[in-house]
Amino acid sequence: MNKELEHSFVELLQKHQNIVHKVCRLYTNNTDAHNDLFQEITIQLWKAYPKFRGDSKFSTWMYRVGLNTAITLYRKSKRRIYTQEFDALEFKIKAEEYDDTEEQQLKLLYKAVHQLNDIEKALVFLYLEDKDYREISETLGITEVNARVKMNRVKKKLKTILNP
Amino acid sequence: MDELELLKKDWNKHKSDYKSYSDTELYPMIHKKSSSIVKTLFYISIAELVFWILISYVPYFFSDKMRARLETSYENPLFTGLTIFGFLIVLLFVYLLYKSHKSISSTDNAKKLMESILKTRKVIKYYVLYNLIMIFISIPLSFYFEFNQNIEFHDQVAGFDSAQMAVLVAMVVLITGIFLLLIWLFYRLIYGILLKRLNRNYDELKKLEV
């Protein structure tokens, strides 16, 4: 029975692993940290899998456990905090030589998103993943109205970071 | 164009950029040891239960004098009652800790998950507080018993003038206070470091409700 459960879980995880990678991409700055977080999310997903009833989509369930791990459960290593500070410094230098091409703008946008706090990142992540406000509010445990308000603030904050 | 729309357009282009783990790579990964803060919190709470239990019972096993004294103390029904009460309190905390650890679920929404973790931390906090209060009560209490039962000590203290008595009381209060403060600061430090990020994120979510 346990083997069967394990098999079905790994199959689903293998299929949807990009969701985990995308969470890691937003919450980490280097490959080591990305792999560390990927590992922890995988463990948390497996631990929670027996409780997965199948009444929601596996992917929807993954967003929740993945974000919970990144925001709350995962213990950041010192190495990562250091790297983040370094990146912020690099961003300031680059912002001064701002180039208007789309590619350059995207690069700056990704860096700006990395400067947001954990909750703001979660909002941006779910937005980028095309989730509606109902799902965003259910994942974070806030009301739909507050999710909208916060999203607008995040958009403004990004604008300020990009055009200081 | 909205910045986020531009980002969204790009976001899904990178599907093939990520490493794709095969089934055989994923199997060992799911059985690795977790390093989540819930696990750390669990170990700390177990360590605390054991620590406070040891603090109360180690003297009994390591000092013959202490054992003899404790055994005579058990003749006093008040002392026996207090010991049974202490045991019941420890059992109650074990039960509460078990219940709150069980209620932590990574499939809850972000806010509820944070609340369950903070609730567990609260249970440990109350346990520590209970122990500190017990220490605070038991120090003057043991002085009182010593005064009544130890004739040598009684005579010595009875010979004190009021200034000497005031100094003695002040010393006892000061030493107890410093001891309790140090333990309290130690706990604040451990949990402060462990739960700093969680508290910050929880405040951020709470702020949205105002």
Side-chain angles (χ1 to χ4, degrees):
Chain A
M1 183 60 202
N2 215 10
K3 279 272 165 240
E4 237 173 76
L5 197 73
E6 202 178 308
H7 182 72
S8 68
F9 172 73
V10 169
E11 206 174 342
L12 282 167
L13 177 64
Q14 212 272 334
K15 197 171 140 201
H16 296 284
Q17 62 178 299
N18 259 353
I19 295 176
V20 184
H21 276 302
K22 284 193 263 187
V23 173
C24 298
R25 181 181 184 189
L26 215 56
Y27 282 90
T28 63
N29 284 313
N30 60 55
T31 323
D32 279 348
H34 183 114
N35 294 341
D36 278 358
L37 183 57
F38 189 96
Q39 169 69 70
E40 187 61 39
I41 294 177
T42 311
I43 297 169
Q44 294 299 334
L45 283 167
W46 170 237
K47 264 169 63 182
Y49 188 60
K51 275 189 271 171
F52 173 64
R53 303 241 177 269
D55 43 6
S56 63
K57 270 195 338 203
F58 185 73
S59 55
T60 311
W61 179 81
M62 266 179 106
Y63 282 111
R64 188 175 272 223
V65 179
L67 279 175
N68 273 339
T69 310
I71 297 172
T72 308
L73 301 174
Y74 180 61
R75 271 191 299 136
K76 275 185 183 180
S77 62
K78 274 184 184 152
R79 183 183 57 211
R80 231 171 100 204
I81 296 163
Y82 179 76
T83 323
Q84 225 163 2
E85 282 166 2
F86 176 75
D87 273 6
L89 190 75
E90 193 190 16
F91 170 70
K92 270 183 208 151
I93 301 162
K94 287 223 170 132
E96 282 165 16
E97 40 192 62
Y98 183 72
D99 191 331
D100 209 16
T101 61
E102 196 173 288
E103 200 182 327
Q104 188 68 19
Q105 208 177 349
L106 274 169
K107 228 177 179 176
L108 288 175
L109 257 167
Y110 277 114
K111 290 213 176 229
V113 169
H114 268 113
Q115 289 189 17
L116 297 173
N117 68 40
D118 291 341
I119 305 297
E120 292 166 340
K121 275 183 195 158
L123 273 156
V124 169
F125 173 70
L126 292 167
Y127 182 85
L128 294 179
E129 288 294 298
D130 228 4
K131 302 293 163 200
D132 56 23
Y133 280 104
R134 190 182 54 82
E135 200 172 329
I136 295 178
S137 71
E138 281 171 4
T139 309
L140 296 178
I142 54 178
T143 64
E144 233 176 286
V145 177
N146 285 340
R148 276 177 206 278
V149 171
K150 185 69 187 167
M151 197 66 216
N152 283 329
R153 280 191 212 147
V154 172
K155 283 182 186 170
K156 268 187 205 152
K157 192 170 172 182
L158 280 175
K159 271 198 172 56
T160 328
I161 297 175
L162 289 166
N163 311 295
Chain B
M1 188 182 189
D2 189 316
E3 277 87 357
L4 275 180
E5 289 306 317
L6 180 67
L7 199 62
K8 200 175 192 171
K9 221 175 68 184
D10 185 69
W11 181 250
N12 288 310
K13 278 189 204 159
H14 296 277
K15 277 183 182 148
S16 53
D17 283 5
Y18 307 115
K19 184 177 177 189
S20 177
Y21 289 105
S22 67
D23 286 8
T24 41
E25 282 172 303
L26 288 172
Y27 274 110
M29 280 176 91
I30 64 174
H31 295 297
K32 284 239 171 86
K33 274 198 173 151
S34 156
S35 61
S36 82
I37 76 165
V38 175
K39 211 169 174 189
T40 315
L41 205 63
F42 178 74
Y43 286 136
I44 294 181
S45 47
I46 295 293
E48 268 167 34
L49 274 171
V50 172
F51 172 77
W52 287 105
I53 291 170
L54 283 182
I55 282 275
S56 345
Y57 297 101
V58 158
Y60 185 83
F61 293 107
F62 284 94
S63 151
D64 289 340
K65 206 175 145 199
M66 193 70 188
R67 193 182 306 170
R69 190 176 288 185
L70 275 171
E71 266 155 17
T72 44
S73 302
Y74 279 118
E75 286 160 15
N76 186 336
L78 177 74
F79 194 81
T80 317
L82 274 177
T83 311
I84 294 171
F85 175 75
F87 265 123
L88 289 177
I89 292 285
V90 170
L91 280 179
L92 176 73
F93 273 113
V94 169
Y95 169 72
L96 288 176
L97 264 178
Y98 171 77
K99 228 180 98 187
S100 57
H101 264 293
K102 273 291 240 198
S103 72
I104 298 175
S105 165
S106 60
T107 52
D108 277 333
N109 66 50
K111 198 170 154 226
K112 192 151 179 266
L113 171 69
M114 291 180 199
E115 278 165 358
S116 333
I117 296 174
L118 290 173
K119 212 179 126 198
T120 308
R121 186 247 182 280
K122 234 182 213 163
V123 174
I124 306 171
K125 191 167 123 184
Y126 288 137
Y127 180 64
V128 171
L129 231 113
Y130 159 77
N131 279 299
L132 294 183
I133 290 171
M134 284 316 262
I135 291 177
F136 195 74
I137 294 172
S138 66
I139 290 179
L141 213 66
S142 58
F143 257 92
Y144 175 76
F145 278 115
E146 196 78 349
F147 184 73
N148 278 336
Q149 285 170 2
N150 188 333
I151 303 159
E152 220 173 286
F153 183 68
H154 184 272
D155 289 347
Q156 212 176 350
V157 175
F160 279 3
D161 61 25
S162 54
Q164 277 172 317
M165 197 67 190
V167 170
L168 180 74
V169 171
M171 286 284 278
V172 172
V173 170
L174 194 73
I175 291 169
T176 316
I178 289 174
F179 178 66
L180 295 184
L181 189 74
L182 281 178
I183 295 181
W184 188 242
L185 283 176
F186 175 68
Y187 281 113
R188 299 279 305 187
L189 192 72
I190 290 185
Y191 292 110
I193 293 168
L194 184 67
L195 299 177
K196 190 176 151 204
R197 186 159 153 254
L198 191 147
N199 274 319
R200 196 180 54 216
N201 287 335
Y202 185 66
D203 286 346
E204 180 74 23
L205 280 177
K206 286 288 275 187
K207 230 169 42 193
L208 287 173
E209 285 173 354
V210 183

